Amino acid sequence: MLENLIETYGEGAILMALGGLVGVLFGATAQHSRFCLRAATVEVAEGKLGPRLSIWLIAFSAGVLAVQTLIVLGWLDVSQSRQLATTGSMSGAIIGGLMFGVGMILARGCASRLLVLSATGNLRAIVTGLVLTLVAQSALRGALAPAREQLASLWVVPGGAMRSLLWQTGLTSSLAALIAAVALGAALVLSHRQNVKTSHAVAAVGVGLAVALGWLGTYAVAMNSFEVVAISSVTFTGPSTDTLMGLVNSTELPLGFGIGLVPGVFLGAGAMALATKEARIQRFGPDSPMEVYLVGAALMGFGSMLAGGCAVGAGMSGGAIFALTAWVAVGAMWVGAMVTQRVLHRPSLVIA
């Protein structure tokens, strides 16, 4: 059936539809669950095991469990994904991850959270997200690209087994899935103790499932296509830049997974916000100075391109397939965010 659809409509159209479906699921569940890496790091920096941390842990462990289970069943093979098959940068993961972590504290949200908030009427998120996307584009193909390439070249690792954390540690996908299942159970217990609503916990599981669906869907298209199709999942910085540049530079958008993902997330989050009556206009104010947000956006835009992904692209999608650089990048994001949070909230230095 999928092969017939590809022959009729083409790989691009099918991937765009798939991206839209995954995006709607991710947007709706991320909005309802309040999924946010920044919020989780803030709680840890403040010495708390709170509801935001439990939500992030549920989403992450659910994503790992679903993806590794698909691999064990033989329904998914991620060995040819960009995060595993190509040369990676450890220096980029460390430096870019730290920059991204600092930036998401200043901007009060990572790339995915800004997109979700934009759909609810948050004008701060819209402006910040646009700046993040423009800086990311500059780091990818513009004036900042040489600096990114120089930093990325400081410490590289070859593609293949060397980029697989499972290979490095000797773990199997079966054992990884079992560990993720235990972690998911622990995260659900933590969420219950923190009085997290059941619907929010279920939605957090949905965030992880959206990541797994992205991997499974693009893999299925790749296996049924005569053309080379990149296996990928949910990520935001790259698709956001492609969407924006396509809108301003071309009369026709190149069809693909990312082109469907971004508007899908916006629609899903917006629909959920309207359904739960949480949509409202929010602007910059005395407690939310624009200059701080813009600095954070610039750091995230450059940092995500250097690290090879954002908090979701590296932290969720890359983490679920145990890409070494992805785990290093998200670890650096945690460190950068927590240090920044603690510095900014010292009694002698408070920035809203």
Side-chain angles (χ1 to χ4, degrees), residues 184-198:
L184 176 58
L188 288 170
V189 170
L190 176 62
S191 70
H192 178 71
R193 291 180 177 178
Q194 294 296 330
N195 296 317
V196 173
K197 292 182 179 179
T198 301

Side-chain angles (χ1 to χ4, degrees), residues 305-337:
M305 286 302 174
L306 179 58
C310 61
V312 171
M316 292 287 294
S317 296
I321 63 172
F322 285 86
L324 174 63
T325 49
W327 278 71
V328 171
V330 76
M333 290 175 192
W334 274 86
V335 172

